[in-house]
Amino acid sequence: MTAFLIGAAERAALAAGQPAVVAPPGMLGLESLPMAVLRPVQGVLRQDGASDGPAEPLPAGLRPLAILAADAAGAAELAAGLPPGLPQVTGSNPLPGLLALAMQALAAAEATRLRLQAAAAGQPAARQQVIDLPPAPMAPPPPARVTQHLGRPAEGLCGLALHLAAVQASAASLLRVRLLAAGRVLGAWTVPGSALAPGWLALDLPEPAPPGAAEAVLEVAAEVAPNETLQLSAAGAGPLAPLALRAETAAPHHLALPRHFDWAARDLPAPAAGLALPVPEAAWAAAVVEGAESRMVAAGGEAPRMLLELEPGGTAQLRLPSLPPGATDLALAELACRLGDATGLQVALTAGPESGPARDSGWRIPDATGALRIALPLPAGLGGALLLGLALRNRGTAALTVEVSALALMAGAAGAPRRLLPEPGLRTPGLAPQPARLSVPLPGAAPAPLAEVPPAASGLPGPPPRAATTQPPLAGGEAGGPLPPPAPATTPMTLAAPMPVLAAEMPPGGSDFQDIKLHQHTANADGSYRHLDLGLTGLVSAAGVWREVRLKLFDRRGTVGLEFRRIKGWPNMFETWPKGGSDQFGPYYRLETEATAEAMAKLTSPQDRAMMAALLEVLPALVRRAARLAGLPPEEQEGWGERGRVLASAVEASRPVAPRGVTVGPG
């Protein structure tokens, strides 16, 4: 059977989070369900009474809650045109089955909340060893390829360890390991010979294996280059002796950042809510700190946390050894000022590949409690290794004690998997770290002059643009420029500080998006009106993640603006719908180069202002790409990019100017 299409309005509602079920035509008694009921109409899933609007394929990431049918045959007929694995509820009364599914969804959501909470607190769950097969002395080496049944369900397994008897190998030799259950790949690792050494090799899963009674099966293959040695240990002397092996289990909310992990080979779906993977302890042990006294502290069974002591006027750098980025797309840092005046503290987070430009967050300041949380989207196209670092400076007159309570990488933050690139040999924690990417001068170094920083189009509450001064630069950012002057300590900062833009396609403050879709390009005959109607997925910034956004950028006789609609076919983007106008098509909200401050004042939710700031930051590159999709010539593409810049500049210019130390906002 051909896969069902879905109506554009129904797809938008599903993407916005509206629960929906699929039922056959003619099934009665579903009117009271508190969810949308989709039925196939000539091969297109539509709600009852919906008009014959445009249809499109059902994206793989969008799944209805369940299939409803009177019997198993009817459910199977619907399932043939839908994504695999959807639950089926049969019978004339679907409410009990739907209630059970809802309870399962709540349990899964609670498990996700617990594991994210544990990661943010830097307190990984305890691991319990369930298999311990030590190497047998003088045992003959096992064959190069081994399939070993572990004799227990895979459920809960969080890590394995293999014992290597002898290694004399380069990156040309590979050790490949897969963990399976019922034919599904729960984890896969590819380790180059250059990263191996005799002894135990730990192989972690990002999260414990999901529930199920299927037995865990381990597949190990050693691919040895000529004149090299890669030899595993056996746990016995006989020809059928198992491999020397250890295995551990953990609770569902245990998280780890696995090395040498092959994310693309895993059969499990990508996490929808994002998975925060804390930096492993081995990386903390190999961290390099300059410009501050550092020590690791822990209470009870907590994961160790780093304390940094900064002298007055001091500047420090924390550099971690290279980490495997895998499918992650966001870096997270949580800090707290434990002793001293937090108003003098400034922190910047940087992330980037071993070779190539990094991206930084700009200088950030703690809140009134001394806490600071920084989220930084990772640069696209990361290869085999990622470098994370922190820069800190104390602008106060007394010493500060700062706790780095959490550093983590988020997988699935933008709602779409990162494109994985081939991984060359990764550096092993404990080896000499890469040269510093942060160039904040140490105390006593002469600061470099700061070039004038163009205003950022954030439109959020914050200080007005200030004249350039002499400040220490934080080099290595993707924009390649220094940081702006610090904001007053009383000013709330939600997004990264602005930085100069060198690459026309790269927004300066770290905001990014996954993909766009052009809905319409229109221009009238005399050129007095034109617009681009487009949608984008995976809008991500340091302030949040928005799975789907739709907008219309228009030019009406020189007035440039954005238009958002509250109608069918448009996602529900705003936390609080801003007051706007209405016409025959329904309510709308417009942000134009005229009356800009009044329009911004209608954004009453901090999250909505953060979304608008991220959108304005990517707007020039976004509409330039949409113009390319519309087939417009290069000069018109640049014209649309310029319209985006004009609107962003108008928003920035509309912010009221206040004296230093006074917080102002949009209305």
Side-chain angles (χ1 to χ4, degrees), residues 65-420:
L65 178 64
I67 298 172
L68 308 185
D71 50 36
E77 185 176 352
L78 290 175
L82 293 167
L86 284 179
Q88 299 180 9
V89 178
T90 57
S92 57
N93 182 13
L95 281 177
L98 287 174
L99 180 60
L101 289 176
M103 295 301 293
Q104 293 174 12
L106 287 174
E110 177 64 10
T112 299
R113 186 190 67 80
L114 287 174
R115 69 189 184 190
L116 292 176
Q117 185 180 44
Q123 300 177 8
R127 298 162 68 116
Q128 179 181 2
Q129 191 171 90
V130 292
I131 298 177
D132 185 11
L133 300 176
M138 307 302 292
R145 295 180 178 272
V146 177
T147 298
Q148 184 165 320
H149 293 255
L150 302 191
R152 57 151 290 132
E155 178 177 352
L157 287 177
C158 67
L160 307 168
L162 296 171
H163 194 274
L164 302 175
V167 177
Q168 196 170 15
S170 67
S173 296
L174 297 175
L175 181 65
R176 301 184 185 275
V177 182
R178 296 202 308 170
L179 177 66
L180 302 94
R184 301 182 69 193
V185 179
L186 305 183
W189 301 262
T190 301
V191 191
S194 56
L196 297 172
W200 288 102
L201 170 66
L203 301 171
D204 285 326
L205 290 159
E207 55 185 330
E215 184 183 13
V217 178
L218 190 64
E219 293 182 348
V220 182
E223 301 176 4
V224 186
N227 303 319
E228 296 188 353
T229 302
L230 178 50
Q231 195 174 96
L232 282 84
S233 300
L240 300 179
L243 294 173
L245 172 70
R246 291 173 179 168
E248 294 179 312
T249 60
H253 57 276
H254 173 84
L255 300 172
L257 181 64
R259 295 188 62 80
H260 314 293
F261 194 77
D262 187 350
W263 291 82
R266 195 168 73 148
D267 288 338
L268 299 180
L275 203 63
L277 307 174
V279 168
E281 291 187 28
W284 282 113
V288 174
V289 178
E290 297 177 353
E293 295 292 328
S294 66
R295 67 182 188 273
M296 303 299 291
V297 297
E302 293 180 349
R305 303 180 304 279
M306 180 173 284
L307 287 183
L308 301 172
E309 296 188 9
L310 281 77
E311 295 298 322
T315 304
Q317 301 177 26
L318 165 65
R319 301 193 302 273
L320 294 176
S322 57
L323 301 167
T328 58
D329 47 22
L330 201 72
L332 301 171
E334 291 189 355
L335 304 95
C337 186
R338 295 305 183 195
L339 290 175
D341 184 2
T343 60
L345 176 65
Q346 292 181 310
V347 184
L349 172 64
T350 187
E354 283 188 314
S355 58
R359 174 178 287 174
D360 61 57
S361 66
W363 290 116
R364 314 295 284 285
I365 59 175
D367 62 19
T369 68
L372 174 62
R373 185 176 189 270
I374 306 175
L376 178 65
L378 298 180
L382 286 173
L386 167 73
L387 294 177
L388 283 181
L390 288 172
L392 305 95
R393 63 185 182 188
N394 179 6
R395 299 175 61 85
T397 57
L400 294 177
T401 299
V402 181
E403 176 187 303
V404 184
S405 52
L407 273 177
L409 297 177
M410 179 74 81
R418 172 176 293 282
R419 182 179 301 164
L420 301 180

Side-chain angles (χ1 to χ4, degrees), residues 5-23:
L5 300 177
I6 186 170
E10 287 79 4
R11 177 196 177 280
L14 197 60
Q18 181 181 8
V21 293
V22 179

